[in-house]
Amino acid sequence: MTLRDAVEGKEYVISQIDTDDEELNAFLFSLGCYSGEAVTVVSRLKGGCVVSIKDGRYNIDNMLADAIKV
């Protein structure tokens, strides 16, 4: 299941990041978004969703949400 399919308010654990872009992987890692880390979908927006990772909240688009497997 991807982060795009996740239920709002429920905590999930990231199983993998499915992208070939090394720069994007490094950016996500700097946010704390990597395998084994907990993530929660706070709310849904038209073009993406707001997620809570560690102590931060981030707005990610649907394409990136599809790349994050939980």
Side-chain angles (χ1 to χ4, degrees), residues 6-12 40-43:
V7 177
E8 285 181 40
K10 185 175 178 189
E11 187 175 271
Y12 295 91
T40 304
V41 175
V42 177
S43 64

Side-chain angles (χ1 to χ4, degrees), residues 22-64:
E22 289 301 317
E23 192 172 309
L24 181 58
N25 280 337
F27 173 70
L28 289 172
F29 187 81
S30 73
L31 297 180
C33 186
Y34 47 83
S35 294
E37 187 60 41
V39 61
T40 304
V41 175
V42 177
S43 64
R44 299 237 177 252
L45 304 171
K46 187 175 185 178
C49 57
V50 177
V51 296
S52 174
I53 304 170
K54 295 197 179 215
D55 291 332
R57 288 188 179 198
Y58 306 100
N59 182 15
I60 61 171
D61 66 4
N62 285 328
M63 190 174 90
L64 185 54

